[in-house]
Amino acid sequence: MRFFLFIFIYLLHQSLSGQEKQNQPMDLTVTMEFNLGSTIGKLRAIPININREEKGMLFAYSADKEIDPWIEMFYPPSDRMKLAVFSLKGKLIWKKELGKGVINGIWFTPIYAFDLDQNGTDEIYYVNNIDSVHILSYEGLRLTAIEGSSGNILGEWSWKRVEHGSLSHTFRNFIMGGYVHGKPVLITAQGTYATMGIQAWNPGMTKRWELLISEEDPGPRGSHMCPVIDINSDGVDELLWGERCIDLDKGEYLFIADRDEYNGHSDVIQPTFDWKNNQWYVFTCRESGDRGQIKPRVVMFDDRGERVWSDLEMGHMDMGWTAQTGPGEKTIAFTISRGRKMAGPDGFFRLDVEEYAYEAFSGDPIRLPFKAYNTVPVDLDGDGYHEFACALDEQSDRKVYTIDGNVVGELGDKAYIAMASKFLDLPGEQILCYYPDGTIRIWRDMNAVDSDRARDRYRNPYYRHCQRLTGTGYNLVNLGGL
């Protein structure tokens, strides 16, 4: 009896001490720092399994800022793109410089780490250009796979072309992956605004299925985000290609939301989990490319593609997230509208930005007590609810906010977020930032304690999918919806 009483008192003490620690002020500190040895304009960071025992981080970077295929934003690269894999202790495993025809831009050169052959080591898949002279060659594009543990080339395959329109329409490439009853399926895709193609690949790069969506087909176009999620919990992942929900098994539609109502393009496709009712929703923020239709620009759909609420009939919506923000299953949805956008060697700038925030499941408008533009939701203290780090682009203030608007940390001058999730075996989520001088800093809350709710997030398959999508499309903020 004394033994059980001792165990009860011990567990009670641990629980209370954990609550006390959870309530401590945030101590945002650099837990790791190293330098890549060259100037960084744009960097992508992707978690990778180096082998069955060791995890690491893949970096894709160059001295150039993001290079966009829209002709008013495109500029010729000044530096060759590089790939490097580091251990989670900051040790360089390997580094390689890519060819002169490879452009440091997410639409030109998506990158994805995935163990398609299931040998315990991730392959790194990326769109390569073997033409070192013609950087806009399409005939030179290849899907290239290299070994994550060494950087050695494993194979190359011709890259599918589906769009022959403008430069902006032609160079919109994606690479994703998911699972069908535990078996891996690699996805490659092209297009966003008009004609679009999606291909699914089994281990050995045998084609599983292919889908072509012509410009004339009804329904929404693609998105700058491409979440992979088992939205109906049947063991088969789905790809959210814009408002089109496609199963990875056979390439069939579960639904096409607003199929007969909208044929434009959404900037944001954000799966959002209702913890209270154990149900997924999909938050979408639409750009103006809808051929003159006056339709809602902000829409929340349920897990069957039915509208739950909508807002705003006009405006160019750009960026956005959803976030879990407090007890009582409080969830917030956020987006912006913008006027002109400028980009080039100095980075991205948006003018006439207006912010919109909502109670996620009711659509009731709310006002946030801080500027949320350029923020990323991240649960630094491990309580299961999000803080907000403002360091996406040049117009960021590099501060970290609570949902109440309190500043709980600063990421340093010229910090840019490349990763915000739990990628170290430490309590809470971490923020990986890069700096123009080549420095990488990983920030964490030294007082973090993982709650049961936070552990449930980490275990969710969608959480792991989103971590890997940071190399393709604007998927960095997708984790906020869980």
Side-chain angles (χ1 to χ4, degrees):
M1 182 68 183
R2 289 182 180 178
F3 173 76
F4 290 108
L5 181 61
F6 169 78
I7 292 295
F8 173 77
I9 293 173
Y10 172 78
L11 291 175
L12 179 62
H13 172 74
Q14 290 296 100
S15 174
L16 291 174
S17 63
Q19 290 176 16
E20 291 171 2
K21 192 171 183 183
Q22 193 85 62
N23 293 327
Q24 290 184 19
M26 187 172 295
D27 181 9
L28 190 62
T29 302
V30 175
T31 193
M32 186 184 303
E33 178 175 326
F34 54 96
N35 196 286
L36 293 178
S38 61
T39 300
I40 304 176
K42 178 69 176 182
L43 177 142
R44 286 170 276 171
I46 307 166
I48 183 173
N49 293 316
I50 298 172
N51 51 53
R52 293 187 187 277
E53 289 75 37
E54 186 175 16
K55 298 182 183 298
M57 193 69 71
L58 166 66
F59 298 125
Y61 61 98
S62 78
D64 294 311
K65 296 286 189 178
E66 173 77 24
I67 301 178
D68 192 277
W70 184 38
I71 57 173
E72 301 300 333
M73 294 184 181
F74 178 82
Y75 63 96
S78 65
D79 184 40
R80 290 171 68 168
M81 188 170 163
K82 304 163 189 70
L83 299 179
V85 167
F86 281 76
S87 74
L88 293 184
K89 295 182 179 179
K91 178 185 176 182
L92 177 64
I93 306 299
W94 59 262
K95 182 192 293 188
K96 69 187 304 179
E97 191 172 75
L98 302 183
K100 294 181 180 179
V102 181
I103 296 174
N104 189 14
I106 54 176
W107 313 121
F108 290 102
T109 311
I111 301 169
Y112 192 71
F114 194 52
D115 187 10
L116 185 61
D117 60 13
Q118 296 182 288
N119 69 348
T121 295
D122 283 338
E123 306 92 61
I124 298 167
Y125 295 89
Y126 68 99
V127 176
N128 188 18
N129 180 8
I130 63 173
D131 190 332
S132 62
V133 176
H134 305 100
I135 62 173
L136 297 178
S137 168
Y138 216 98
E139 293 183 0
L141 295 189
R142 300 288 185 273
L143 173 65
T144 297
I146 60 178
E147 190 174 43
S149 59
S150 66
N152 295 331
I153 292 180
L154 297 172
E156 287 189 331
W157 303 268
S158 294
W159 185 254
K160 180 81 173 183
R161 183 171 189 172
V162 299
E163 177 62 62
H164 295 265
S166 68
L167 180 68
S168 181
H169 284 204
T170 299
F171 289 95
R172 298 285 171 173
N173 302 317
F174 298 82
I175 308 174
M176 297 78 69
Y179 295 87
V180 174
H181 301 300
K183 301 296 183 182
V185 178
L186 183 72
I187 301 293
T188 55
Q190 308 81 27
T192 298
Y193 305 108
T195 301
M196 304 175 290
I198 307 172
Q199 306 86 38
W201 308 93
N202 292 313
M205 290 304 294
T206 59
K207 188 176 290 185
R208 187 183 187 101
W209 52 263
E210 184 171 5
L211 184 64
L212 180 66
I213 306 165
S214 73
E215 185 174 4
E216 292 74 27
D217 287 343
R221 303 295 94 190
S223 172
H224 294 318
M225 291 182 175
C226 42
V228 175
I229 178 176
D230 185 3
I231 200 167
N232 57 357
S233 302
D234 66 348
V236 176
D237 283 333
E238 287 83 38
L239 168 67
L240 286 172
W241 186 254
E243 288 90 339
R244 298 167 182 263
C245 185
I246 305 166
D247 85 90
L248 264 58
D249 186 12
K250 298 179 181 179
E252 298 175 345
Y253 290 112
L254 267 67
F255 60 79
I256 304 177
D258 276 3
R259 180 184 183 276
D260 298 319
E261 300 292 329
Y262 185 72
N263 57 16
H265 151 72
S266 288
D267 191 76
V268 172
I269 300 292
Q270 174 71 72
T272 304
F273 195 63
D274 179 355
W275 287 85
K276 182 178 181 180
N277 297 304
N278 196 37
Q279 180 181 347
W280 283 103
Y281 291 79
V282 181
F283 178 61
T284 69
C285 308
R286 293 166 166 174
E287 293 190 10
S288 56
D290 59 356
R291 304 178 191 179
Q293 298 170 336
I294 298 178
K295 296 295 180 182
R297 291 291 190 257
V298 180
V299 187
M300 181 69 82
F301 296 98
D302 65 16
D303 57 359
R304 298 175 303 280
E306 300 294 330
R307 283 191 196 177
V308 178
W309 59 266
S310 62
D311 192 30
L312 304 177
E313 290 188 344
M314 297 295 289
H316 185 130
M317 313 314 293
D318 196 10
M319 307 175 66
W321 44 252
T322 57
Q324 310 291 340
T325 56
E329 316 308 327
K330 186 176 181 181
T331 308
I332 288 174
F334 168 80
T335 187
I336 66 167
S337 66
R338 67 164 178 86
R340 185 182 176 196
K341 180 165 71 172
M342 301 176 292
D346 295 327
F348 271 76
F349 299 87
R350 294 169 178 86
L351 305 180
D352 301 320
V353 171
E354 294 188 30
E355 300 190 0
Y356 302 88
Y358 308 87
E359 293 281 357
F361 304 122
S362 69
D364 294 335
I366 61 174
R367 182 179 295 275
L368 296 177
F370 61 96
K371 291 291 185 182
Y373 170 48
N374 275 326
T375 59
V376 175
V378 56
D379 179 16
L380 289 163
D381 59 10
D383 65 354
Y385 306 111
H386 291 102
E387 290 77 46
F388 303 88
C390 184
L392 270 183
D393 285 323
E394 280 62 34
Q395 293 165 292
S396 305
D397 63 16
R398 276 74 189 183
K399 296 178 180 179
V400 180
Y401 297 89
T402 67
I403 189 59
D404 297 320
N406 298 320
V407 176
V408 291
E410 298 196 18
L411 300 171
D413 186 40
K414 298 181 179 179
Y416 295 90
I417 293 179
M419 193 80 191
S421 67
K422 190 181 186 72
F423 51 87
L424 298 180
D425 188 18
L426 295 168
E429 293 183 330
Q430 300 88 42
I431 300 173
L432 188 148
C433 289
Y434 63 94
Y435 300 77
D437 67 354
T439 299
I440 302 290
R441 293 191 181 107
I442 298 176
W443 297 81
R444 61 172 289 230
D445 175 17
M446 300 299 288
N447 293 327
V449 176
D450 282 333
S451 67
D452 290 340
R453 179 180 181 131
R455 293 188 187 97
D456 287 342
R457 290 183 67 237
Y458 307 149
R459 287 191 290 262
N460 193 290
Y462 173 70
Y463 189 94
R464 296 192 291 273
H465 285 337
C466 284
Q467 285 184 306
R468 292 174 176 267
L469 281 170
T470 54
T472 182
Y474 292 142
N475 288 285
L476 179 57
V477 300
N478 270 353
L479 277 167
L482 181 62

